[in-house]
């Protein structure tokens, strides 16, 4: 795809405070205020008779939820994603708390990715709010190191969604991921190999995608705090302390070397749905609530399979208890399915293999061993009149396993 005469130019596009920004489109009166996303349905804004809205404030929150994301104004107060909501309330009691709306976020995700593909079709989807884009073969892109195309992509995303994004454009994915964070929000950062000492080496080691908390702590213990510290270290020293593969990778990454291609498509390994409860639920006393949630998750999972064109042969569950311990169970079916009733029945069988005496804080359902529907249909079979539709199991199909012997 590229040669030394026409080096690669890879963009990493990251939406700015994505969930929060989508919510600000819906509630523009909250612009400029500290806002956090992570509430439940009970935190839905209340529409008042005069047309204004009453918003839930963090100071009034009770429970042990987790913040999904926050606006930059809330981040300035120390409130970040994955922080406990009660801790966030102590830091920013007047911040507005909004419920999570993943359907709306997925809608805007599809919009911004479609806008990018109209300009640069070689796109690697990395999640709901970020993508890699190979710009290498676009006409004129090397004339200005990608600046014009970067500005064009930013404007296309803004036109399609009303939202801003930040883009890093460099010779590879590793550097572009780093650079998309350098000038947030609404940034465009161009970087070549000659710029690495000035712009990349001063960054903390943990900024590199692939250096997690444990590796970062170990590096710090060895006196290696920045990316530049790692780059200056003897490669043999890194291999000695981190092993051959990871040690060599640390050396290469710290010098900004990354040969990975932009991968435009990969088959999903699994599809899942899960929910964290606002309060811990008990298998017996909250049986009706758990039954409804469990069935809803199975129906949503069946809908995801149908919409994406997959069927599953392995159905699994995920449970997290009040002591934060998690368990999973799987069941392999005799044939692939995307039927909600079959998924619900298989997931129920998995639940029978779990001790449910402790309270639950999370429940999830997973579909694995996926196969594309087109590959499961005989080549000469007539095409179906309509796409398969996920039907909800009948109301009487309850959750008989939430009254297991020993649960109290």
């Amino acid at each position: 795809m590229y040669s030394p005469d026409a080096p690669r130019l890879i963009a990493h596009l990251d939406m700015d405070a994505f969930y929060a920004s989508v919510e600000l489109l819906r509630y523009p009166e909250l612009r400029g205020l500290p806002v956090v996303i992570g509430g439940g349905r009970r935190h839905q804004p209340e529409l008042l008779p005069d047309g204004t809205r009453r918003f839930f404030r963090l100071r009034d929150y009770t429970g042990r939820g987790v913040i999904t994301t926050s606006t930059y104004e809330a981040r300035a107060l120390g409130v970040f994603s994955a922080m406990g909501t009660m801790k966030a309330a102590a830091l920013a009691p007047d911040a507005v708390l909004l419920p999570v709306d993943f359907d709306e976020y997925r809608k805007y995700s599809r919009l911004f990715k479609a806008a990018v593909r109209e300009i640069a079709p070689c796109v690697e989807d990395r999640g709901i709010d970020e993508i890699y884009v190979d710009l290498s073969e676009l006409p004129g892109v090397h004339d200005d190191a990608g600046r014009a195309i970067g500005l064009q992509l930013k404007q296309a995303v803004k036109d399609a969604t009303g939202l801003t994004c930040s883009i890093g454009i460099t010779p590879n994915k590793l550097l572009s991921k780093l650079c998309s964070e350098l000038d947030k929000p609404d940034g465009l950062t161009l970087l070549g190999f000659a710029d690495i000492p000035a712009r990349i080496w001063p960054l903390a080691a943990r900024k590199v995608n692939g250096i997690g908390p444990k590796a970062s702590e170990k590096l710090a213990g060895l006196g290696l705090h920045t990316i530049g510290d790692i780059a200056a270290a003897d490669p043999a020293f890194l291999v000695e302390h981190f092993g051959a593969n990871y040690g060599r990778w640390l050396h290469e990454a710290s010098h900004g070397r990354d040969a990975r291609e932009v991968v435009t498509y990969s088959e999903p390994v699994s599809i899942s749905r899960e929910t964290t409860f606002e309060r811990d639920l008990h298998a017996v006393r909250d049986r009706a609530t758990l039954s409804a949630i469990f069935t809803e998750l199975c129906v949503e999972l069946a809908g995801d399979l149908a919409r994406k064109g997959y069927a599953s042969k392995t159905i699994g569950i995920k449970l997290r208890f009040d002591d934060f311990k998690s368990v999973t169970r799987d069941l392999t079916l005799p044939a692939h399915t995307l039927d909600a009733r079959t998924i619900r029945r298989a997931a129920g069988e998995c639940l029978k293999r779990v001790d449910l005496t402790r309270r639950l804080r999370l429940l999830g359902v997973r579909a694995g061993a996926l196969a594309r529907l087109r590959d499961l249909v005989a080549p000469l079979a007539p095409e179906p009149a309509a796409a398969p539709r996920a039907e909800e199991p009948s109301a009487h199909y309850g959750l008989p396993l939430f009254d297991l012997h020993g649960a109290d």
Side-chain angles (χ1 to χ4, degrees), residues 77 126 158 176 279:
L77 298 174
R126 295 301 300 170
K158 186 70 178 291
S176 295
R279 64 177 179 86

Side-chain angles (χ1 to χ4, degrees), residues 309-360:
Y310 287 96
S312 168
K313 198 173 183 182
T314 300
I315 303 299
I317 61 166
K318 176 183 176 181
L319 303 174
R320 184 170 296 137
F321 296 99
D322 55 4
D323 59 358
F324 286 87
K325 291 184 178 179
S326 298
V327 300
T328 59
R329 296 290 186 270
D330 294 299
L331 177 66
T332 298
L333 303 173
H336 286 81
T337 186
L338 45 63
D339 175 65
R341 291 180 177 84
T342 304
I343 293 171
R344 176 63 174 75
R345 192 177 303 111
E349 289 298 319
C350 292
L351 269 178
K352 291 179 180 178
R353 293 151 47 200
V354 180
D355 179 3
L356 296 172
T357 54
R358 297 198 67 92
R359 290 179 176 272
L360 294 162

Side-chain angles (χ1 to χ4, degrees), residues 170-176 178 191-203 205 208 211 226-236 238 246-259:
T170 80
N172 60 52
K173 293 165 76 171
L174 182 145
L175 291 172
S176 295
L178 283 167
L191 181 138
F193 286 115
D195 304 312
I196 290 176
R199 299 219 64 184
I200 300 301
W201 283 353
L203 300 176
V208 176
I211 299 181
T226 68
I227 299 173
D229 291 338
I230 302 173
D234 188 327
L238 296 173
Y246 195 64
R248 283 195 294 265
W249 177 83
L250 284 171
H251 176 73
E252 291 294 298
S254 66
H255 287 274
R257 301 175 191 137
D258 179 17

Side-chain angles (χ1 to χ4, degrees), residues 74-87:
R75 295 177 190 185
L77 298 174
V79 177
F80 295 92
S81 60
M83 176 181 288
T85 310
M86 292 300 290
K87 181 179 179 180

Side-chain angles (χ1 to χ4, degrees), residues 146-215:
R147 179 174 297 278
I149 194 68
L151 293 171
Q152 187 181 354
L153 290 172
K154 285 169 61 65
Q155 189 60 50
V157 169
K158 186 70 178 291
D159 292 343
T161 65
L163 303 172
T164 64
C165 65
S166 294
I167 301 178
I169 300 178
T170 80
N172 60 52
K173 293 165 76 171
L174 182 145
L175 291 172
S176 295
K177 173 83 170 175
L178 283 167
C179 287
S180 65
E181 294 286 335
L182 292 182
D183 299 306
K184 271 186 169 288
D186 201 17
L188 175 61
T189 304
L190 312 180
L191 181 138
F193 286 115
D195 304 312
I196 290 176
R199 299 219 64 184
I200 300 301
W201 283 353
L203 300 176
R206 66 179 181 275
K207 292 291 187 179
V208 176
N209 189 31
I211 299 181
K214 290 184 179 179

Side-chain angles (χ1 to χ4, degrees), residues 238-309:
L238 296 173
V239 168
E240 177 187 352
H241 288 279
F242 293 93
N245 291 335
Y246 195 64
R248 283 195 294 265
W249 177 83
L250 284 171
H251 176 73
E252 291 294 298
S254 66
H255 287 274
R257 301 175 191 137
D258 179 17
R260 292 175 299 158
E261 298 282 351
V262 170
V263 179
T264 58
Y265 179 76
S266 62
E267 293 282 357
V269 175
S270 63
I271 298 173
S272 62
R273 284 276 185 160
E274 64 181 44
T275 185
T276 300
F277 310 130
E278 293 184 11
R279 64 177 179 86
D280 297 334
L281 298 179
H282 191 276
V284 174
R285 289 190 284 275
D286 299 298
R287 172 176 169 167
T289 300
L290 283 167
S291 178
I293 293 171
F294 195 51
T295 297
E296 182 179 3
L297 288 172
C298 293
V299 171
E300 290 173 346
L301 181 58
D304 292 341
L305 289 167
R307 186 173 61 256
K308 297 177 180 181

